[in-house]
Protein backbone atom coordinates (compact mmCIF):
# COMPACT_ATOMS: atom_id res chain seq x y z
CA UNK A 1 0.00 0.00 0.00
CA UNK A 2 2.84 2.40 0.88
CA UNK A 3 4.45 1.74 -2.51
CA UNK A 4 1.23 2.71 -4.30
CA UNK A 5 0.98 5.93 -2.29
CA UNK A 6 4.61 6.87 -2.95
CA UNK A 7 4.33 6.16 -6.67
CA UNK A 8 1.10 8.17 -6.86
CA UNK A 9 2.76 11.12 -5.13
CA UNK A 10 5.76 10.91 -7.49
CA UNK A 11 3.44 10.79 -10.50
CA UNK A 12 1.48 13.81 -9.26
CA UNK A 13 4.61 15.84 -8.53
CA UNK A 14 6.07 15.12 -11.96
CA UNK A 15 2.81 15.95 -13.73
CA UNK A 16 2.49 19.15 -11.70
CA UNK A 17 6.11 20.14 -12.27
CA UNK A 18 6.13 19.50 -16.01
CA UNK A 19 2.50 20.14 -16.94
CA UNK A 20 1.60 22.86 -14.46
CA UNK A 21 -2.15 23.43 -14.14
CA UNK A 22 -2.86 21.14 -17.07
CA UNK A 23 -0.76 18.43 -15.44
CA UNK A 24 -2.86 18.72 -12.28
CA UNK A 25 -6.06 18.40 -14.31
CA UNK A 26 -4.60 15.40 -16.13
CA UNK A 27 -3.84 13.73 -12.81
CA UNK A 28 -7.39 14.40 -11.59
CA UNK A 29 -8.75 13.07 -14.88
CA UNK A 30 -7.19 9.68 -14.12
CA UNK A 31 -9.43 9.28 -11.09
CA UNK A 32 -12.47 10.66 -12.90
CA UNK A 33 -11.98 8.12 -15.69
CA UNK A 34 -11.54 5.35 -13.14
CA UNK A 35 -14.83 6.39 -11.55
CA UNK A 36 -16.57 6.29 -14.93
CA UNK A 37 -15.13 2.83 -15.56
CA UNK A 38 -16.39 1.47 -12.22
CA UNK A 39 -19.85 2.94 -12.84
CA UNK A 40 -19.87 1.37 -16.30
CA UNK A 41 -19.14 -2.05 -14.83
CA UNK A 42 -21.83 -1.53 -12.20
CA UNK A 43 -24.53 -0.53 -14.70
CA UNK A 44 -23.62 -3.46 -16.95
CA UNK A 45 -25.08 -5.74 -14.29
CA UNK A 46 -28.46 -4.03 -14.65
CA UNK A 47 -30.40 -6.34 -16.94
CA UNK A 48 -32.69 -3.66 -18.36
CA UNK A 49 -29.83 -1.63 -19.87
CA UNK A 50 -27.92 -2.63 -23.00
CA UNK A 51 -24.19 -2.92 -22.08
CA UNK A 52 -23.12 -1.53 -25.47
CA UNK A 53 -25.17 1.63 -24.92
CA UNK A 54 -23.62 1.99 -21.47
CA UNK A 55 -20.14 1.58 -22.95
CA UNK A 56 -20.82 4.18 -25.65
CA UNK A 57 -22.12 6.63 -23.06
CA UNK A 58 -19.06 5.97 -20.89
CA UNK A 59 -16.77 6.45 -23.89
CA UNK A 60 -18.35 9.84 -24.62
CA UNK A 61 -17.97 10.89 -20.98
CA UNK A 62 -14.33 9.75 -20.94
CA UNK A 63 -13.71 11.70 -24.16
CA UNK A 64 -15.23 14.81 -22.58
CA UNK A 65 -13.02 14.42 -19.51
CA UNK A 66 -9.85 13.85 -21.53
CA UNK A 67 -10.55 16.65 -24.00
CA UNK A 68 -12.71 19.34 -22.38
CA UNK A 69 -11.74 19.00 -18.72
CA UNK A 70 -7.99 18.86 -19.39
CA UNK A 71 -7.81 21.22 -22.39
CA UNK A 72 -10.90 23.38 -21.73
CA UNK A 73 -13.57 24.02 -24.34
CA UNK A 74 -11.89 25.49 -27.40
CA UNK A 75 -11.67 24.82 -31.10
CA UNK A 76 -8.93 22.20 -30.89
CA UNK A 77 -10.70 20.17 -28.18
CA UNK A 78 -14.04 20.44 -30.01
CA UNK A 79 -12.37 19.27 -33.22
CA UNK A 80 -10.72 16.35 -31.43
CA UNK A 81 -14.06 15.41 -29.83
CA UNK A 82 -15.91 15.42 -33.16
CA UNK A 83 -13.15 13.38 -34.79
CA UNK A 84 -13.30 10.89 -31.91
CA UNK A 85 -17.07 10.44 -32.28
CA UNK A 86 -16.90 9.99 -36.06
CA UNK A 87 -14.06 7.48 -35.77
CA UNK A 88 -15.80 5.57 -32.98
CA UNK A 89 -19.02 5.26 -34.97
CA UNK A 90 -17.16 3.86 -37.97
CA UNK A 91 -15.10 1.54 -35.78
CA UNK A 92 -18.21 0.14 -34.09
CA UNK A 93 -19.48 -1.10 -37.45
CA UNK A 94 -16.23 -3.02 -38.00
CA UNK A 95 -16.29 -4.36 -34.46
CA UNK A 96 -19.80 -5.75 -34.83
CA UNK A 97 -18.96 -7.36 -38.16
CA UNK A 98 -15.73 -9.03 -37.08
CA UNK A 99 -16.37 -9.97 -33.44
CA UNK A 100 -19.52 -11.91 -34.34
CA UNK A 101 -17.57 -13.87 -36.96
CA UNK A 102 -14.29 -14.39 -35.13
CA UNK A 103 -15.81 -16.09 -32.05
CA UNK A 104 -13.33 -14.49 -29.63
CA UNK A 105 -15.86 -14.04 -26.82
CA UNK A 106 -15.58 -15.96 -23.58
CA UNK A 107 -12.51 -17.65 -22.14
CA UNK A 108 -9.86 -19.87 -23.66
CA UNK A 109 -8.94 -23.35 -22.46
CA UNK A 110 -5.82 -21.89 -20.84
CA UNK A 111 -8.03 -19.92 -18.44
CA UNK A 112 -10.54 -22.64 -17.52
CA UNK A 113 -8.59 -24.00 -14.56
CA UNK A 114 -8.39 -20.57 -12.92
CA UNK A 115 -12.15 -20.04 -13.40
CA UNK A 116 -13.42 -23.33 -12.00
CA UNK A 117 -14.35 -21.73 -8.68
CA UNK A 118 -16.38 -18.94 -10.38
CA UNK A 119 -19.73 -18.96 -12.11
CA UNK A 120 -19.92 -17.94 -15.75
CA UNK A 121 -23.55 -16.85 -15.45
CA UNK A 122 -22.74 -13.15 -15.18
CA UNK A 123 -25.97 -12.03 -16.86
CA UNK A 124 -24.16 -10.43 -19.83
CA UNK A 125 -23.75 -11.95 -23.26
CA UNK A 126 -20.05 -12.67 -23.76
CA UNK A 127 -20.14 -11.46 -27.37
CA UNK A 128 -21.56 -8.15 -26.17
CA UNK A 129 -18.91 -8.05 -23.45
CA UNK A 130 -16.13 -8.56 -26.01
CA UNK A 131 -17.50 -5.67 -28.09
CA UNK A 132 -17.66 -3.42 -25.01
CA UNK A 133 -14.07 -4.31 -24.07
CA UNK A 134 -12.74 -3.36 -27.50
CA UNK A 135 -14.69 -0.08 -27.57
CA UNK A 136 -13.45 0.89 -24.12
CA UNK A 137 -9.89 -0.02 -25.04
CA UNK A 138 -9.98 2.01 -28.25
CA UNK A 139 -11.34 5.26 -26.82
CA UNK A 140 -8.11 6.19 -25.05
CA UNK A 141 -5.89 5.77 -28.12
CA UNK A 142 -8.37 7.59 -30.35
CA UNK A 143 -8.72 10.66 -28.12
CA UNK A 144 -4.96 10.78 -27.55
CA UNK A 145 -4.23 10.79 -31.28
CA UNK A 146 -7.05 13.22 -32.05
CA UNK A 147 -5.92 15.88 -29.58
CA UNK A 148 -2.30 15.46 -30.68
CA UNK A 149 -3.20 16.20 -34.30
CA UNK A 150 -5.66 18.98 -33.45
CA UNK A 151 -3.27 20.70 -31.04
CA UNK A 152 -0.37 20.55 -33.50
CA UNK A 153 -2.48 21.95 -36.34
CA UNK A 154 -3.78 24.75 -34.13
CA UNK A 155 -0.20 25.69 -33.29
CA UNK A 156 0.79 25.57 -36.98
CA UNK A 157 -2.12 27.83 -37.92
CA UNK A 158 -1.35 30.20 -35.06
CA UNK A 159 2.20 30.61 -36.34
CA UNK A 160 1.15 30.90 -39.99
CA UNK A 161 -2.50 31.98 -40.39
CA UNK A 162 -1.99 32.52 -44.13
CA UNK A 163 -1.97 28.77 -44.82
CA UNK A 164 -4.82 27.61 -47.03
CA UNK A 165 -6.99 24.60 -46.24
CA UNK A 166 -5.08 22.16 -48.44
CA UNK A 167 -1.67 23.12 -47.06
CA UNK A 168 -2.93 22.94 -43.49
CA UNK A 169 -4.41 19.49 -44.13
CA UNK A 170 -1.09 18.27 -45.55
CA UNK A 171 0.70 19.61 -42.48
CA UNK A 172 -1.72 17.74 -40.23
CA UNK A 173 -1.20 14.53 -42.18
CA UNK A 174 2.58 14.92 -41.88
CA UNK A 175 2.22 15.23 -38.11
CA UNK A 176 -0.08 12.20 -38.13
CA UNK A 177 2.46 10.10 -40.02
CA UNK A 178 5.02 10.78 -37.30
CA UNK A 179 2.53 9.86 -34.57
CA UNK A 180 1.39 6.76 -36.43
CA UNK A 181 4.65 4.86 -36.02
CA UNK A 182 4.96 5.47 -32.29
CA UNK A 183 1.29 4.67 -31.64
CA UNK A 184 1.37 1.29 -33.36
CA UNK A 185 4.64 0.37 -31.63
CA UNK A 186 3.19 1.40 -28.26
CA UNK A 187 0.23 -0.92 -28.79
CA UNK A 188 2.51 -3.78 -29.81
CA UNK A 189 4.82 -3.46 -26.81
CA UNK A 190 1.86 -2.98 -24.46
CA UNK A 191 0.56 -6.37 -25.62
CA UNK A 192 3.97 -8.01 -25.42
CA UNK A 193 4.61 -6.68 -21.92
CA UNK A 194 1.17 -7.58 -20.62
CA UNK A 195 1.14 -11.10 -22.08
CA UNK A 196 4.80 -12.03 -21.83
CA UNK A 197 3.99 -14.73 -19.26
CA UNK A 198 1.34 -16.17 -21.61
CA UNK A 199 3.82 -16.27 -24.49
CA UNK A 200 6.35 -18.10 -22.29
CA UNK A 201 3.60 -20.51 -21.24
CA UNK A 202 2.83 -21.25 -24.88
CA UNK A 203 6.51 -22.09 -25.33
CA UNK A 204 6.52 -24.44 -22.31
CA UNK A 205 3.40 -26.18 -23.66
CA UNK A 206 5.21 -26.65 -26.99
CA UNK A 207 2.42 -24.92 -28.91
CA UNK A 208 2.94 -24.75 -32.65
CA UNK A 209 2.66 -21.43 -34.43
CA UNK A 210 -0.79 -22.42 -35.71
CA UNK A 211 -1.97 -23.34 -32.21
CA UNK A 212 -0.76 -20.01 -30.83
CA UNK A 213 -2.48 -18.01 -33.57
CA UNK A 214 -5.74 -19.93 -33.10
CA UNK A 215 -5.66 -19.74 -29.32
CA UNK A 216 -8.66 -17.71 -28.12
CA UNK A 217 -6.62 -15.86 -25.50
CA UNK A 218 -3.99 -14.81 -28.04
CA UNK A 219 -6.28 -14.07 -30.97
CA UNK A 220 -8.74 -12.02 -28.90
CA UNK A 221 -5.97 -9.72 -27.72
CA UNK A 222 -4.45 -9.41 -31.18
CA UNK A 223 -7.86 -8.54 -32.65
CA UNK A 224 -8.39 -5.95 -29.92
CA UNK A 225 -5.01 -4.37 -30.65
CA UNK A 226 -5.74 -4.34 -34.39
CA UNK A 227 -9.05 -2.57 -33.74
CA UNK A 228 -7.40 -0.02 -31.45
CA UNK A 229 -4.66 0.55 -34.01
CA UNK A 230 -7.26 0.93 -36.77
CA UNK A 231 -9.10 3.55 -34.73
CA UNK A 232 -5.87 5.45 -34.01
CA UNK A 233 -5.05 5.44 -37.74
CA UNK A 234 -8.52 6.42 -38.95
CA UNK A 235 -8.74 9.37 -36.59
CA UNK A 236 -5.64 10.99 -38.15
CA UNK A 237 -7.16 12.01 -41.53
CA UNK A 238 -10.53 12.74 -39.91
CA UNK A 239 -8.95 15.10 -37.36
CA UNK A 240 -6.66 16.66 -39.98
CA UNK A 241 -9.59 17.39 -42.29
CA UNK A 242 -11.83 18.74 -39.54
CA UNK A 243 -9.05 20.92 -38.15
CA UNK A 244 -8.16 22.29 -41.58
CA UNK A 245 -11.82 22.98 -42.36
CA UNK A 246 -12.69 24.67 -39.07
CA UNK A 247 -9.47 26.66 -38.72
CA UNK A 248 -9.74 28.10 -42.22
CA UNK A 249 -13.49 28.63 -42.04
CA UNK A 250 -13.19 30.62 -38.80
CA UNK A 251 -10.54 33.13 -37.87
CA UNK A 252 -9.47 31.92 -34.47
CA UNK A 253 -7.62 33.75 -31.75
CA UNK A 254 -6.16 30.66 -30.10
CA UNK A 255 -4.78 32.59 -27.16
CA UNK A 256 -8.22 33.54 -25.84
CA UNK A 257 -10.18 30.71 -27.52
CA UNK A 258 -12.45 33.18 -29.26
CA UNK A 259 -14.03 32.28 -32.58
CA UNK A 260 -14.86 35.12 -34.95
CA UNK A 261 -16.91 34.05 -37.94
CA UNK A 262 -15.69 35.18 -41.32
Amino acid sequence: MNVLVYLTIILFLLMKLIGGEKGTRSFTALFLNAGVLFLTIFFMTVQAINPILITLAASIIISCINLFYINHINLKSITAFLATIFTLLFLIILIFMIVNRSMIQGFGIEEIEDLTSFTLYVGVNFTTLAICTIIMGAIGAITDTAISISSAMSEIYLRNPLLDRSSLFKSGMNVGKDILGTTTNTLFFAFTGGYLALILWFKDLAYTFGEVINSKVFSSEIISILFIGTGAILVIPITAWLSAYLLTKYKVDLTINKIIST
Side-chain angles (χ1 to χ4, degrees), residues 156-203:
I156 291 170
Y157 187 74
L158 175 65
R159 301 301 176 184
N160 189 3
L162 298 179
L163 282 174
D164 59 21
R165 186 171 300 171
S166 177
S167 299
L168 190 58
F169 174 76
K170 290 178 181 178
S171 298
M173 289 300 296
N174 288 333
V175 173
K177 291 174 184 178
D178 293 334
I179 295 174
L180 179 62
T182 55
T183 301
T184 52
N185 278 282
T186 299
L187 294 174
F188 171 74
F189 287 113
F191 166 77
T192 304
Y195 282 84
L196 184 60
L198 176 65
I199 295 172
L200 294 175
W201 191 20
F202 284 154
K203 181 180 180 298

Side-chain angles (χ1 to χ4, degrees), residues 102-214:
S102 59
M103 303 295 291
I104 61 172
Q105 69 274 8
F107 302 96
I109 58 174
E110 296 84 5
E111 302 169 297
I112 294 300
E113 184 177 350
D114 296 330
L115 296 170
T116 52
S117 59
F118 299 98
T119 178
L120 298 180
Y121 295 101
V122 296
V124 180
N125 184 283
F126 278 97
T127 301
T128 301
L129 199 58
I131 294 173
C132 294
T133 302
I134 296 174
I135 293 172
M136 191 64 71
I139 194 64
I142 293 174
T143 54
D144 178 63
T145 305
I147 193 62
S148 298
I149 300 293
S150 178
S151 180
M153 292 183 67
S154 297
E155 187 67 21
I156 291 170
Y157 187 74
L158 175 65
R159 301 301 176 184
N160 189 3
L162 298 179
L163 282 174
D164 59 21
R165 186 171 300 171
S166 177
S167 299
L168 190 58
F169 174 76
K170 290 178 181 178
S171 298
M173 289 300 296
N174 288 333
V175 173
K177 291 174 184 178
D178 293 334
I179 295 174
L180 179 62
T182 55
T183 301
T184 52
N185 278 282
T186 299
L187 294 174
F188 171 74
F189 287 113
F191 166 77
T192 304
Y195 282 84
L196 184 60
L198 176 65
I199 295 172
L200 294 175
W201 191 20
F202 284 154
K203 181 180 180 298
D204 291 338
L205 294 175
Y207 272 30
T208 64
F209 180 76
E211 289 174 328
V212 172
I213 293 299
N214 288 284

Side-chain angles (χ1 to χ4, degrees), residues 67 74-89 142 145-147 149-151 153-154 157 164-166 168-170 172-173 234-250 252 254 259:
L67 297 174
N74 48 51
L75 190 64
K76 63 183 178 182
S77 59
I78 293 173
T79 302
F81 179 75
L82 292 175
T84 298
I85 297 301
F86 291 149
T87 304
L88 190 61
L89 291 176
I142 293 174
T145 305
I147 193 62
I149 300 293
S150 178
S151 180
M153 292 183 67
S154 297
Y157 187 74
D164 59 21
R165 186 171 300 171
S166 177
L168 190 58
F169 174 76
K170 290 178 181 178
M173 289 300 296
L234 286 175
V235 78
I236 291 174
I238 294 175
T239 307
W241 185 86
L242 280 173
S243 294
Y245 176 79
L246 293 175
L247 286 171
T248 54
K249 182 177 176 61
Y250 299 96
V252 184
L254 297 172
I259 301 174

